[in-house]
Amino acid sequence: MQNTSLQFKKQVTIKLADVKLQDALSRLQSRFVEGRSAVISEIHDLQETRTAAAAIRDRVLNDLEHWLLHFEQQATARGAIVHWAETGDDVNRIIAEIAAQHGVKTAAKSKSMVSEECGLNDALEQAGVSVMETDLGEYILQLAHEAPSHIVAPVVHKNKEEISDLFAEKHQLPRKTGIAELCREAREILRPAFLNADMGISGANFLVAETGSVLIVTNEGNGRLVTTLPRVHVAITGIEKVVPTLEDVTTLLRLLPRSATGQSITNYVSVLTGNKNKEDHDGPEHFHIILLDNGRSSLIGGEMQEMLRCIRCGACMNHCPVYQNIGGHAYGWVYPGPMGSILTPLLSGLEKSPDLPNASTLCGACAVVCPVKIPLPDLLRKLREKQMQLGMKSRQETFMLKAWAWLALRPNLYALATKIGVRMMRAMGGKEKLLHTLPGARGWTDGRDFPAPSGMTFRELYKRGAHK
Amino acid sequence: MNAREKILGKIRSAQSNAALRTPTESINNHLAQHPRGPMPSAPENLLAQFKERALKLSSDVRGTSDKMEVPKLLAIYLSERKLPNSGVCWPSLAGLPWSAAGLDMQSRPAKNHDLIGVTGAFCAIAETGTLMMLSGADTPATTSLLPETHVSVLDPRRIVATMEDAWDLMRKEFKQPPRAVNFISGPSRTADIEQTVTLGAHGPYRVLLILAPL
């Protein structure tokens, strides 16, 4: 997928003024934030479980080579073929080769964010394989030629009316208005796609090293269909997704659906190991697993390694005041919200997404809800520091920070300057006690007023004993 | 150098700091012992918890002390909902008196147009009200997937507390996982349109659990 993060600020202005999007985002907030909070307390000891989950992820990341090799060995022993891909283009090439090798003309696909990194669908169409997205949200986006705006709820930015119009136009059927009717229509259109597909393509939520298994969590059942009916199954995932044992993955499964959609467990959890036996009635004859690097290995052993713990639940974006106001498309690549603001610069280059590490108020909500305890605000701060060191900040920002640092090193002068400053601002605020514009921060005051200070600095108030 | 060597090489050189690396012995121990993480406290009554959680996930639950009564229970369930009375079942259940209850159950894997699929289950998990299904020649995965109604006949003695217990049971009875282990927790669903939960996406619209000693 093409990265348009450079247009972040322009996108934000458009998204903030999009009434339909704002309406859709408020729904996400109520359903997912409240949904999580209702079931997360079911976990007997949440903090202990989060700590254990983080340790499971770290165990693998601290010795990733070993665990990848163990996974490969176990998966191969059961008849799967493991492929390694350095880039998204490599994934596309490998799948096109597998398709050619098995005479594949049609593919049915369940949701995979890694495949979005690769731009897989376009590449396969060019290779002569027609691809059908089968996750309802992804299917809607394929019809609309749009990108997902959330990693769990990809079509959160669209309302029911838009989907009704889209189905009526593309399916050439009478326009349905009920959500259940729309789902039924999609089911009936997609069922033949599952039955006729030569190849099923899926992602993988986890890879289990102990057994060489691919684990997929789904609700719709499309993940089961694409991994059961077609004669070839290709699973694509990132190299960081390995988990040691079935017990370890079970600990992560207590957290993943609860954090993602507020479910105690997803409808289906499928653990797929090897290909079909001679006596089996169903299952793929050929099982291929593609492990994608795409920049992930560069995080290993460094100060950003903790980001690779991520299990893609989306809780950080659901709880992020920035995501809640601008949605996912503004971020410009596959992964939005706090995790995306870190992952996008790391995987596709800080210079291509300079605004993302700054697209956060550092309120800390993301770190509180992260099931694998990724210190997201700390990582965002590290990226900001890196931008400063690399001279990527604007001249104005650099000058202001330098000026502030100069002043802050001179306490008496600082006290005098702030004393004058707050008094001036109080006078400017007038009766309303609001500043409509601030010199040097017009962008901030364009959308809201700045509350005027009371006229005293903190140090003055402290001296007076107001702290007692 | 191929992609595999390049990727593994990058990781190796980034983790050359041996102090951080886990000794092979400790890795092998972890695999051999597969220790459990933090667990929920054991329920007082497995069956009661299983039923409660299954109902919460929109499964329907019935029970009988005589497995020969299963077809009758299913016939009542189907007629209450005005559902068709023919479908497919796993071979292990072919001997139940289906036709005496007015049902036409064929012992074969499900095809696209079959509307009812009757399966057993490897075991069930009380913590979440979940069925655990192992694929195999006599336990086809399509039977719980393609039909609009999935019926699972479950021996209450096969209810375990947690997924960890279910893995142990699998390890005890089989050396390794089969091609597909499917955990099923209620009818298929989607919330992709306006985050509104709708039952019956690509899999079954309803799941009926019949508890009966087998």
Side-chain angles (χ1 to χ4, degrees), chain A residues 328-388:
Chain A
H329 284 156
Y331 291 82
W333 199 51
V334 182
Y335 304 106
M339 56 79 78
S341 295
I342 297 163
L343 214 49
T344 304
L346 290 177
L347 297 186
S348 54
L350 199 50
E351 71 291 348
K352 285 185 191 151
S353 45
D355 293 322
L356 296 192
N358 302 292
S360 162
T361 63
L362 300 183
C363 74
C366 51
V368 173
V369 296
C370 178
V372 287
K373 291 175 91 168
I374 302 172
L376 294 149
D378 294 346
L379 299 185
L380 285 165
R381 218 177 277 118
K382 278 179 192 166
L383 285 176
R384 292 181 188 183
E385 282 166 16
K386 209 168 179 185
Q387 287 182 315
M388 201 71 193

Side-chain angles (χ1 to χ4, degrees), chain A residues 23 53 64 66 82 123-124 161 167 222 259 264 341 394 399 406 408:
Chain A
D23 191 41
L64 187 58
H66 181 103
V82 178
L124 281 184
E161 279 66 38
F167 275 16
N222 63 318
S259 303
S264 307
S341 295
S394 73
F399 172 77
W406 183 86

Side-chain angles (χ1 to χ4, degrees), chain A residues 157-370:
Chain A
H157 58 282
K158 272 196 181 319
N159 64 28
K160 191 182 69 181
E161 279 66 38
E162 291 172 271
I163 296 164
S164 293
D165 291 342
L166 183 71
F167 275 16
E169 182 205 330
K170 301 283 178 176
H171 295 162
Q172 297 284 307
L173 288 167
R175 188 176 183 274
K176 313 281 191 302
T177 50
I179 292 177
E181 291 175 294
L182 289 166
C183 293
R184 168 66 87 165
E185 184 170 307
R187 175 189 172 103
E188 281 165 9
I189 298 262
L190 285 166
R191 195 41 97 84
F194 293 114
L195 296 163
N196 300 328
D198 304 306
M199 177 190 269
I201 302 172
S202 75
N205 293 89
F206 300 108
L207 303 168
V208 185
E210 175 193 357
T211 52
S213 313
V214 164
L215 186 145
I216 306 174
V217 300
T218 63
N219 280 309
E220 297 184 4
N222 63 318
R224 283 189 65 194
L225 285 161
V226 306
T227 60
T228 305
L229 300 179
R231 58 194 163 84
V232 184
H233 171 205
V234 181
I236 326 162
T237 197
I239 51 169
E240 83 283 16
K241 289 290 179 71
V242 191
V243 166
T245 64
L246 293 170
E247 276 74 7
D248 289 329
V249 91
T250 304
T251 298
L252 294 169
L253 283 175
R254 285 205 175 86
L255 291 162
L256 175 58
R258 287 186 171 97
S259 303
T261 52
Q263 292 175 280
S264 307
I265 187 167
T266 49
N267 261 89
Y268 302 112
V269 175
S270 301
V271 183
L272 306 166
T273 317
N275 45 7
K276 177 185 169 184
N277 288 328
K278 264 182 246 136
E279 56 275 17
D280 283 349
H281 299 284
D282 41 44
E285 291 156 34
H286 308 280
F287 184 19
H288 295 266
I289 302 166
I290 306 179
L291 305 175
L292 172 65
D293 182 348
N294 209 22
R296 288 163 172 82
S297 61
S298 66
L299 274 60
I300 289 291
E303 58 175 7
M304 307 300 283
Q305 181 181 297
E306 283 157 317
M307 194 58 229
L308 293 178
R309 284 183 196 160
C310 180
I311 57 172
R312 307 288 193 267
C313 69
C316 61
M317 57 198 76
N318 297 341
H319 291 78
C320 174
V322 176
Y323 182 95
Q324 285 167 356
N325 279 287
I326 63 173
H329 284 156
Y331 291 82
W333 199 51
V334 182
Y335 304 106
M339 56 79 78
S341 295
I342 297 163
L343 214 49
T344 304
L346 290 177
L347 297 186
S348 54
L350 199 50
E351 71 291 348
K352 285 185 191 151
S353 45
D355 293 322
L356 296 192
N358 302 292
S360 162
T361 63
L362 300 183
C363 74
C366 51
V368 173
V369 296
C370 178

Side-chain angles (χ1 to χ4, degrees), chain A residues 61 72 134 137 187 254 267 270, chain B residues 4 15 182 187 189 192 203:
Chain A
L61 296 173
E72 183 189 42
T134 63
R187 175 189 172 103
R254 285 205 175 86
N267 261 89
S270 301
Chain B
R4 180 178 182 275
Q15 291 183 327
N182 282 299
R189 68 191 68 199
D192 273 347

Side-chain angles (χ1 to χ4, degrees), chain A residues 65-66 68-73 76 82-86 90 93-94 239 291 293 297, chain B residues 1-12:
Chain A
E65 185 195 4
H66 181 103
L68 279 167
L69 288 172
H70 194 87
F71 171 79
E72 183 189 42
Q73 186 198 344
T76 308
V82 178
H83 306 261
W84 301 73
E86 285 186 280
D90 293 336
R93 179 182 45 76
I94 293 166
I239 51 169
L291 305 175
D293 182 348
S297 61
Chain B
M1 197 159 52
N2 63 25
R4 180 178 182 275
E5 297 310 316
K6 278 192 205 162
I7 294 168
L8 290 174
K10 267 195 225 168
I11 296 169
R12 195 178 312 130

Side-chain angles (χ1 to χ4, degrees), chain B residues 88-123:
Chain B
V88 296
C89 68
W90 279 3
S92 59
L93 299 167
L96 294 181
W98 300 110
S99 47
L103 301 176
D104 172 20
M105 284 294 152
Q106 297 179 26
S107 170
R108 59 168 172 80
K111 290 185 194 139
N112 183 34
H113 293 293
D114 293 319
L115 291 174
I116 296 159
V118 184
T119 70
F122 173 71
C123 72

Side-chain angles (χ1 to χ4, degrees), chain A residues 29-60:
Chain A
Q29 211 174 321
S30 61
R31 296 274 153 78
F32 280 4
V33 171
E34 286 165 23
R36 173 190 175 275
S37 122
V39 300
I40 202 78
S41 55
E42 290 172 354
I43 297 179
H44 179 59
D45 188 334
L46 176 61
Q47 297 316 325
E48 192 192 345
T49 307
R50 287 174 76 220
T51 304
I56 289 166
R57 299 296 298 128
D58 285 347
R59 177 186 289 275
V60 168

